[in-house]
Amino acid sequence: MSDDEKDKSAPGPPEAPKASEPKPSEPPKEGETPATPASTGTVEPLGRTAEGTPVAAGAPTPPPSPRPSPATPPAAEGAGGEAPAPRPRPAPPAAAAGEGAAPAAPRPAPAPRAPAGPSPAELAQKAEVPSVPLDRLRARFPEIAATATFFSGVPIVAVPAGSIVEVCRFLKDDEESRCTYLSNLHGTHYPDKKDKPFEVVYHLYSIDRAQWIELKIELAEGESVPTVTTVWKTANWHEREAFDMLGIDFAGHPDLTRILLPDDWKGHPLRKEYPLEGNPGDHKYYRS
Amino acid sequence: MTDTLVNWGLIPFLKIALLLNVILGVVAYLTLLERKVIAFMQVRLGPRRVGPHGLLQPIADVLKLMIKEDIVPAKSDHLIFALAPAITLAPAIIAFAVIPFSGTPAPLTLFGHTWSITPWVTDINVALLYLLAVSSIGVFGIVLGGWASNSKYPLLGALRSAAQMVSYEVPLGLSVVGVLILAGTASLTGIVQAQERAGIWFFGPQIVGLFLYFVAGVAETNRAPFDLAEAETELVAGFHTEYTGMKFAVFFLAEYMNMIVVAAIVTTLFFGGWLPITFGLGWVIPALPGILSLQFLGPWGMFFAGIFWFSLKCFFVLFMYLWLRATYPRYRYDQLMRIGWKVLIPLALGNVVVTAIALTVYRSLKG
Amino acid sequence: MFQTTEMEINLGPQHPSTHGVLRVLLKVDGERILESKPVIGYLHRGCEKLGETRPMPQVVVYTDRMDYVAAFAGNLTYIEAVERLIGLEAPPRAKYMRVVLAELQRIASHLLWLGTHALDIGAMSVFLYCFREREMILDLFEGYCGARLTLNAVRIGGQLNDFPDGWVDEARRFLNAFPKQVEEYETLLSQNRIWIERTRGVGVISAEEAIDWGLSGPPLRGSGVAWDIRKSNPYAAYADLSFDVPVGENGDTYDRYLVRMEEMRQARRLALEALDKMPGGDVRAKVPKRLKPPAGAEVYHATESPRGEMGVYLKSDGSETAYRCRFRSPSFVNLQALPALVKGHLIADIVTLIGSIDIVLGCVDR
């Protein structure tokens, strides 16, 4: 897509560097240290703070880039569900990222500045493919399966936190789907989603069907999700890591302690507000 | 009076001094030989920088160990901690007292007197029993070393090692009974002379005994594939984990000296000691053994020829030790005990019975 | 009269044979292990957070360093995940090149596994022989991308460079001579009485339990489950190539050993076939200067690394930097099953089992 744009407008490529020139000088105006963008090489901060974490709502944002706002294409494409309410400023990427697979009636796109509509390639990526686990889920939990979207051939289903164990056990024990393999379990932090900033993602795999299915849960701060260690033993360490890195609480877990960091570490590193270099007071051996 | 003093005091003293130095030198160079042989088996070259072809490597190693800091764990039992290596080394050294390196005593004429220099420190008629007894004492040093370290890994290693050595003492002892029956004497010189008289070395009729003695000997000396007491990859270093510097060197020396003792005993009992290797041609050409023992050079010729043949055979057995180490994985503890008790001991007992029956039949047939 | 107590031993982070900084707390009764607990995190470097702060093309170098023994597998998984995210497909020649390099990396990784596993059990010479072959493979990698260990040999949209002149012949020469070497290892080990006694019946795990623990790769196939991602969900050019998937029967260490030995042969077969069938053409598709993944899209891509299922989950926010980058490493998940495998065995077996699961701590801790 951007290749076409570049080919059409001959002075295309020079535009990008010109427009980006204000950027490296902009952090000093805001009082940030300019050193860190240089240390990341040729990367433009692209709307991020000097530490590289996405801009939290309320922080000063960079001037509008020549690219279309990232927030509007998702609304135009209906990707994964409803877009967040259009922001008054050119949206930092955090806004676009702050969406999950929520149940969606596709909303009318706010005046898009980007080329309207998804490209055929993107539509192909979101196309529905036959999925036995999803079909079985539709049969048993129709209201949960209605939220399903697809990306790159994998169904993504949003599940309420309370019923995750039931859904997982159903998918595991069901004769047709036989999702006996829990491939991955992790958490993500969306600080821009004020009510439900945490998300726990499960990837289930059916060895017989050779098909994946992804389940997602949205969690509020402090809310806990029931553990699935009773369904698959392998969830044990995955959940410990999610707890260690993000602070997500798994109710009923046999041993919810830190796994990768020392036991007396404070803070949860994969949260977006946690700096990449760590905080000075996190550990008694940490040297700031 | 001076005769007795010299014969029973000075000469043995000098022999011991000479033997000790030679054996320590051999042990040091055995370490280099091991590294070189195993390296060549593993498609590499081994030490080659220190001196030509690494020949000064043992000297460098000894020097390094001598000047290393001697670390003693604070909570260890200091006295036993220091004594344990010595208790391990002493039996290895005194075992050399009865081993015959050659066959013929040679006369030495000095200051008008002629003394007969025997190529052994002493020749007692219970030499075999003495050797078995002395090798059993070696277990003490290991157990004490592990215990005195006051640390878990050495303790585990010491217990494993103690159990292993004690269990393999039994097949060790039983496997030489066959040789005893055939030779009729427990004196080592007597056993070699019996082989000379018989014209056939005992590894022929006592092949099972040889196999058993060698395997039990490998287990006794904590060498691969029975080296779990010092298995680096499991217990870091077993009973000598906490030892550094010279104390560690003494443990090391003791292990290699035990190896040489076992090799010497195997040579003496099964491979004809100092007798020359004739590949059986001695039956065809009766003069051959005499020529190969340098008889034409007189007693001193035979003295040194005997030492040469003895050393050659010892090195062959030591090469087998190294070969085993380079090739085989390590046995697990319970498998090792099972082999010692359930496989080797029945075999050894069987060997004794069969040898006794065969000899009785042979003698009665001969008339 | 006699009172026996259990001993707690620490197989510390520094140990000659824990394949990295792994700590295992053991509760033993004499020699028998009652309980064990692995403690990890000594090599944690925050790769996931780094993946969120660097643009996607730059994160590839971190994937080398996670599973540093099979660096290409990490590279390939990440790059293919990015390609899936942005909807880009590599040209056919690049796919075949990726297969060749991946299978060479599989052989190299299994050689290292065999050498260290045999060394742990006490057969020292096998270690040196395996490294002799591994050196040849590392020389091949050096000829291709300049690095022996941390390859960074894949780019988004294909490969950076085609094979240099003479590389294919050199690779073929190695691959043709390889079966003889595998036979050499097998003569030393497969029928060796001591080896069989040390590995048969050690660490038995059933197929259902293996799936429940999330095992993948040779530990799972050793228990009889014939799942190989290259066959079930093919990526790169695996769909066009034919190979067999070795499967064990008993789920013990000996079967896992046999599975990996056979995998080396199959990897050689795959590499030769890919070299024969390699099409001409570009080695890299046209990649936009600025990657524009669809905002809000997420993808989980899994490949068969020598250790098992290596997975990368990427969530995009429309920019060139991933919003969330999750590395699902096979060693992390496989290591979790260690307490179940080792229960009731002797101390000597824990080292055998750590080697049999084949973990790399960089992969475990990320």
Side-chain angles (χ1 to χ4, degrees):
Chain A
M1 207 158 80
S2 60
D3 270 350
D4 293 340
E5 287 179 290
K6 276 207 296 246
D7 287 344
K8 272 191 242 147
S9 53
E15 276 176 8
K18 266 198 282 180
S20 71
E21 265 159 29
K23 278 204 192 301
S25 59
E26 138 220 60
K29 278 191 261 168
E30 297 169 350
E32 310 271 357
T33 57
T36 324
S39 69
T40 59
T42 56
V43 179
E44 296 178 324
L46 285 180
R48 290 159 185 267
T49 61
E51 287 91 354
T53 51
V55 173
T61 54
S65 69
R67 297 169 46 216
S69 155
T72 43
E77 296 151 7
E82 64 185 11
R87 297 184 163 257
R89 294 184 284 255
E99 59 179 19
R107 290 150 121 242
R113 293 172 347 211
S119 72
E122 290 178 21
L123 275 178
Q125 278 183 311
K126 296 190 176 61
E128 175 160 337
V129 298
S131 165
V132 172
L134 184 61
D135 294 336
R136 299 297 299 147
L137 207 57
R138 281 194 180 118
R140 175 80 171 79
F141 298 94
E143 66 286 353
I144 293 181
T147 67
T149 58
F150 277 81
F151 191 84
S152 189
V154 174
I156 304 170
V157 182
V159 179
S163 38
I164 184 66
V165 181
E166 210 188 328
V167 170
C168 285
R169 193 168 286 292
F170 167 70
L171 282 173
K172 180 186 178 193
D173 295 337
D174 182 58
E175 291 303 321
E176 296 288 310
S177 66
R178 304 247 329 125
C179 288
T180 49
Y181 191 81
L182 176 68
S183 193
N184 180 32
L185 197 173
H186 70 271
T188 315
H189 185 216
Y190 297 97
D192 293 320
K193 286 163 69 180
K194 287 287 173 262
D195 51 342
K196 300 251 182 200
F198 290 102
E199 181 182 85
V200 182
V201 175
Y202 301 71
H203 286 101
L204 278 55
Y205 183 74
S206 168
I207 296 183
D208 303 328
R209 302 283 169 191
Q211 286 176 346
W212 305 85
I213 181 167
E214 180 179 324
L215 306 175
K216 304 168 81 139
I217 300 180
E218 288 186 337
L219 290 177
E221 174 85 51
E223 188 183 336
S224 70
V225 58
T227 179
V228 293
T229 47
T230 48
V231 186
W232 300 281
K233 293 201 198 85
T234 185
N236 194 317
W237 275 20
H238 287 296
E239 290 181 349
R240 277 181 72 185
E241 189 182 346
F243 163 72
D244 190 5
M245 293 285 124
L246 287 152
I248 298 175
D249 181 41
F250 292 88
H253 191 278
D255 177 29
L256 199 65
T257 51
R258 287 193 183 268
I259 186 169
L260 290 176
L261 293 172
D263 288 325
D264 50 358
W265 196 274
K266 298 186 216 14
H268 296 281
L270 275 180
R271 294 193 178 191
K272 292 297 180 184
E273 65 270 11
Y274 195 92
L276 180 65
E277 289 87 358
N279 291 318
D282 282 342
H283 185 262
K284 59 182 182 200
Y285 298 120
Y286 183 85
R287 286 189 304 260
S288 57
Chain B
M1 167 64 182
T2 22
D3 254 357
T4 328
L5 214 55
V6 170
N7 271 327
W8 289 96
L10 182 63
I11 291 186
F13 180 79
L14 288 174
K15 272 195 208 164
I16 292 173
L18 181 67
L19 188 60
L20 204 55
N21 280 295
V22 168
I23 292 292
L24 284 175
V26 170
V27 165
Y29 276 86
L30 181 61
T31 57
L32 176 66
L33 183 72
E34 171 176 38
R35 288 170 73 172
K36 280 296 219 188
V37 164
I38 292 187
F40 274 85
M41 288 183 185
Q42 290 174 348
V43 202
R44 52 186 182 94
L45 291 174
R48 27 192 309 264
R49 302 241 171 224
V50 189
H53 293 286
L55 282 171
L56 295 180
Q57 181 76 41
I59 302 177
D61 281 337
V62 167
L63 198 62
K64 172 202 82 168
L65 286 168
M66 282 205 286
I67 63 181
K68 256 195 192 300
E69 179 187 357
D70 192 27
I71 302 176
V72 176
K75 294 246 180 78
S76 66
D77 188 329
H78 294 286
L79 177 66
I80 312 266
F81 191 80
L83 275 182
I87 300 178
T88 316
L89 184 60
I93 298 181
I94 63 180
F96 281 102
V98 297
I99 294 182
F101 297 98
S102 185
T104 43
L108 180 65
T109 316
L110 269 183
F111 312 121
H113 283 264
T114 307
W115 289 290
S116 176
I117 312 287
T118 53
W120 49 78
V121 176
T122 175
D123 178 26
I124 51 179
N125 59 355
V126 288
L128 209 50
L129 195 59
Y130 166 81
L131 281 171
L132 288 174
V134 148
S135 67
S136 313
I137 304 179
V139 185
F140 276 115
I142 293 180
V143 174
L144 290 173
W147 182 263
S149 300
N150 200 17
S151 170
K152 285 185 187 139
Y153 279 129
L155 179 65
L156 268 180
L159 293 177
R160 278 178 167 184
S161 189
Q164 172 187 337
M165 291 174 90
V166 163
S167 0
Y168 278 84
E169 289 286 348
V170 185
L172 197 74
L174 284 178
S175 55
V176 299
V177 174
V179 170
L180 275 180
I181 294 177
L182 287 182
T185 168
S187 151
L188 290 178
T189 46
I191 291 177
V192 179
Q193 282 156 3
Q195 292 177 75
E196 191 173 12
R197 279 196 306 275
I200 180 172
W201 294 345
F202 287 153
F203 75 88
Q206 282 292 300
I207 186 80
V208 176
L210 167 63
F211 165 76
L212 285 170
Y213 188 85
F214 185 65
V215 170
V218 169
E220 278 290 305
T221 48
N222 283 323
R223 292 282 299 183
F226 303 107
D227 61 345
L228 41 71
E230 49 187 48
E232 279 163 7
T233 53
E234 292 170 25
L235 293 181
V236 186
F239 63 90
H240 50 71
T241 309
E242 302 281 353
Y243 281 89
T244 56
M246 208 53 210
K247 299 203 187 87
F248 174 76
V250 169
F251 268 127
F252 212 57
L253 277 179
E255 175 177 327
Y256 283 90
M257 253 194 236
N258 275 319
M259 270 171 68
I260 301 184
V261 168
V262 169
I265 299 178
V266 166
T267 308
T268 312
L269 296 184
F270 297 98
F271 285 116
W274 64 78
L275 299 172
I277 299 178
T278 56
F279 298 111
L281 291 175
W283 292 92
V284 177
I285 313 170
L288 190 59
I291 297 175
L292 288 174
S293 343
L294 297 186
Q295 230 166 20
F296 51 90
L297 287 182
W300 280 105
M302 291 175 70
F303 187 91
F304 284 108
I307 293 183
F308 169 73
W309 291 113
F310 181 86
S311 315
L312 192 66
K313 295 173 204 173
C314 266
F315 275 120
F316 172 65
V317 179
L318 288 170
F319 180 79
M320 291 298 302
Y321 258 103
L322 306 181
W323 201 359
L324 272 185
R325 179 161 187 225
T327 313
Y328 281 118
R330 189 181 301 124
Y331 266 111
R332 205 174 57 203
Y333 179 62
D334 57 328
Q335 296 159 350
L336 185 144
M337 299 300 279
R338 182 181 50 88
I339 291 175
W341 289 99
K342 291 194 187 171
V343 175
L344 294 188
I345 293 185
L347 267 180
L349 288 172
N351 181 38
V352 169
V353 169
V354 167
T355 309
I357 293 179
L359 196 61
T360 318
V361 166
Y362 174 75
R363 287 214 179 118
S364 64
L365 283 181
K366 228 171 59 143
Chain C
M1 188 165 86
F2 285 115
Q3 197 187 26
T4 55
T5 48
E6 300 151 357
M7 193 157 67
E8 281 184 19
I9 294 190
N10 177 38
L11 210 69
Q14 292 115 343
H15 191 95
S17 56
T18 50
H19 296 260
V21 274
L22 168 69
R23 181 179 180 207
V24 185
L25 296 168
L26 296 170
K27 196 183 278 195
V28 295
D29 173 24
E31 283 260 336
R32 209 152 277 282
I33 297 180
L34 302 170
E35 267 175 49
S36 65
K37 182 171 182 217
V39 176
I40 59 175
Y42 291 92
L43 201 49
H44 177 65
R45 293 153 291 175
C47 284
E48 295 188 358
K49 191 147 181 97
L50 284 167
E52 294 173 15
T53 56
R54 307 283 188 269
M56 288 193 267
Q58 287 187 5
V59 178
V60 198
V61 289
Y62 293 120
T63 55
D64 282 319
R65 281 132 177 100
M66 291 192 307
D67 182 354
Y68 38 79
V69 174
F72 192 83
N75 286 343
L76 187 63
T77 316
Y78 186 79
I79 291 290
E80 289 199 334
V82 173
E83 288 175 355
R84 242 171 104 175
L85 192 65
I86 62 179
L88 183 66
E89 209 178 312
R93 184 173 175 85
K95 287 189 178 172
Y96 276 83
M97 284 172 73
R98 287 174 177 179
V99 168
V100 173
L101 291 167
E103 294 309 308
L104 278 175
Q105 181 74 84
R106 191 179 311 271
I107 298 176
S109 168
H110 281 339
L111 282 171
L112 188 139
W113 159 81
L114 180 63
T116 50
H117 191 215
L119 186 64
D120 289 342
I121 299 189
M124 303 187 309
S125 307
V126 179
F127 179 72
L128 272 307
Y129 301 154
C130 289
F131 267 69
R132 185 184 48 192
E133 267 70 63
R134 193 177 140 90
E135 279 301 308
M136 297 181 205
I137 299 184
L138 294 184
D139 285 343
L140 280 173
F141 279 133
E142 192 183 6
Y144 174 66
C145 61
R148 282 155 52 97
L149 196 68
T150 51
L151 303 172
N152 194 18
V154 207
R155 296 290 180 273
I156 298 177
Q159 301 287 114
L160 184 62
N161 289 319
D162 204 339
F163 290 133
D165 291 332
W167 194 93
V168 176
D169 296 324
E170 193 63 46
R172 263 194 238 271
R173 202 173 316 143
F174 167 76
L175 289 168
N176 286 327
F178 190 59
K180 208 159 66 69
Q181 308 302 332
V182 178
E183 266 175 47
E184 193 179 337
Y185 314 141
E186 293 239 320
T187 28
L188 270 176
L189 295 176
S190 293
Q191 307 302 327
N192 187 324
R193 177 65 161 283
I194 305 182
W195 181 263
I196 295 181
E197 282 201 26
R198 280 302 293 268
T199 54
R200 230 197 232 304
V202 172
V204 179
I205 190 164
S206 67
E208 294 79 36
E209 220 186 317
I211 298 179
D212 209 32
W213 277 112
L215 293 182
S216 53
L220 182 65
R221 291 196 278 278
S223 298
V225 181
W227 176 44
D228 188 325
I229 301 184
R230 296 173 290 171
K231 278 251 190 252
S232 64
N233 304 76
Y235 52 97
Y238 286 107
D240 308 327
L241 301 169
S242 65
F243 63 103
D244 299 324
V245 173
V247 171
E249 287 174 351
N250 310 321
D252 58 10
T253 304
Y254 190 64
D255 280 359
R256 291 190 277 269
Y257 155 79
L258 288 176
V259 163
R260 286 193 180 99
M261 297 300 281
E262 185 59 35
E263 273 189 14
M264 280 201 271
R265 292 196 191 93
Q266 294 298 320
R268 168 201 173 257
R269 180 178 158 191
L270 267 170
L272 276 176
E273 197 181 334
L275 280 173
D276 291 335
K277 284 189 178 170
M278 186 159 312
D282 287 336
V283 294
R284 192 168 187 190
K286 272 200 75 107
V287 185
K289 257 205 146 142
R290 284 261 166 269
L291 293 181
K292 279 218 199 36
E298 56 191 316
V299 73
Y300 176 75
H301 184 65
T303 61
E304 184 78 22
S305 95
R307 283 175 179 75
E309 176 202 344
M310 169 91 204
V312 171
Y313 169 89
L314 288 169
K315 169 99 185 202
S316 96
D317 56 1
S319 75
E320 213 180 16
T321 310
Y323 187 80
R324 173 79 165 101
C325 174
R326 154 84 174 161
F327 297 108
R328 186 259 190 220
S329 65
S331 300
F332 179 77
V333 183
N334 289 354
L335 184 58
Q336 211 189 154
L338 183 68
L341 284 172
V342 89
K343 204 178 184 65
H345 286 297
L346 304 186
I347 294 184
D349 293 324
I350 194 164
V351 168
T352 309
L353 284 168
I354 294 177
S356 174
I357 303 178
D358 192 14
I359 54 166
V360 168
L361 264 298
C363 202
V364 171
D365 292 337
R366 282 156 285 136

